[in-house]
Amino acid sequence: MKTTRAEYTKRLNEVTLYFETIKLLDNGDCSIICKDINGGTTEKIIDGELAKIMKANGFLLLYNLIEATIRNSISAILNSISTDKLTFKLLSDNLKKLWINQEINKTKDISKFKEKVSELSEKILNDKLLEFSNECVNISGNIDAQRIRGIAKKFGYLEPKDGRGLQTIKDKRNQLAHGEFTFSDIGKNYTSNDLIDYKSEVVTFIENVLNNVETYINAKGYKKV
């Protein structure tokens, strides 16, 4: 979890630095002044249009913080399982289901389904060490509070509370990523204070997740009781 928390802190610092900058936009006219090696200066005014774009970009940073941290927390759990070298019978019921689903989903050809079942049975009956991949839970592009609670339920750690603002962050990120709206279209509807409020909600929610995952790992909640 040390690596997961370090990555979270690094990304959070990036978000904080960016939001501190766009907060200045509320103070009035702003500009960027660049000084070249010859001592000359170039000034770029941050007009209303650029300010909208910068605000919209805040949603991308927030979503990146959320998805990366959830992905890294899953990796922390799976690394702990790998370190403990567990077989099927030593896993909790939640992890047994997760592993079976992971393996079954690898079989795209229905004609090879019987072969896959035979392979899984052999691993279970002969107490072979199991491997989980980070893709055992699909999260790409669709992370919000409800999805995160679903992940918690699959692994069996305590579900985080609240987080309603994560739905908006996900929606705005997807609208930008898929080209449904321009950055200007998104940014015009939000103030820098709105984004800072979203950030505060994200921090509270994600730190709740990290604490729950850490408790789960320390208690080896993935093992059969």
Side-chain angles (χ1 to χ4, degrees), residues 88-153:
F88 186 82
K89 69 181 181 181
L90 297 177
L91 291 173
S92 68
D93 290 342
N94 292 78
L95 270 295
K96 286 176 180 176
K97 292 176 184 177
L98 193 61
W99 181 76
I100 290 173
N101 286 336
Q102 169 192 275
E103 296 302 303
I104 293 298
N105 288 336
K106 290 179 182 177
T107 308
K108 305 302 180 183
D109 187 347
I110 192 66
S111 66
K112 295 183 178 180
F113 186 75
K114 288 184 178 180
E115 181 181 330
K116 172 57 71 172
V117 171
S118 177
E119 177 189 327
L120 299 187
S121 299
E122 193 271 336
K123 287 183 178 180
I124 293 170
L125 293 174
N126 291 292
D127 278 343
K128 291 193 174 182
L129 298 181
L130 305 184
E131 293 183 359
F132 285 88
S133 70
N134 287 335
E135 287 67 42
C136 64
V137 177
N138 182 25
I139 64 173
S140 183
N142 286 294
I143 283 291
D144 55 23
Q146 183 176 354
R147 190 70 176 274
I148 293 170
R149 278 189 277 273
I151 292 171
K153 189 173 183 178

Side-chain angles (χ1 to χ4, degrees), residues 150-209:
I151 292 171
K153 189 173 183 178
K154 285 184 178 181
F155 280 98
Y157 61 83
L158 188 63
E159 297 177 27
K161 299 178 181 179
D162 303 323
R164 284 173 289 182
L166 275 69
Q167 175 73 44
T168 299
I169 294 169
K170 182 193 76 171
D171 290 345
K172 298 309 172 187
R173 177 266 182 190
N174 286 345
Q175 289 168 356
L176 290 168
H178 301 151
E180 296 175 25
F181 294 95
T182 67
F183 279 71
S184 179
D185 288 336
I186 297 293
K188 70 182 180 181
N189 296 318
Y190 297 91
T191 66
S192 59
N193 282 331
D194 291 333
L195 291 170
I196 290 170
D197 287 342
Y198 279 122
K199 176 200 162 191
S200 295
E201 185 174 1
V202 167
V203 168
T204 299
F205 186 87
I206 292 300
E207 289 185 354
N208 186 199
V209 173

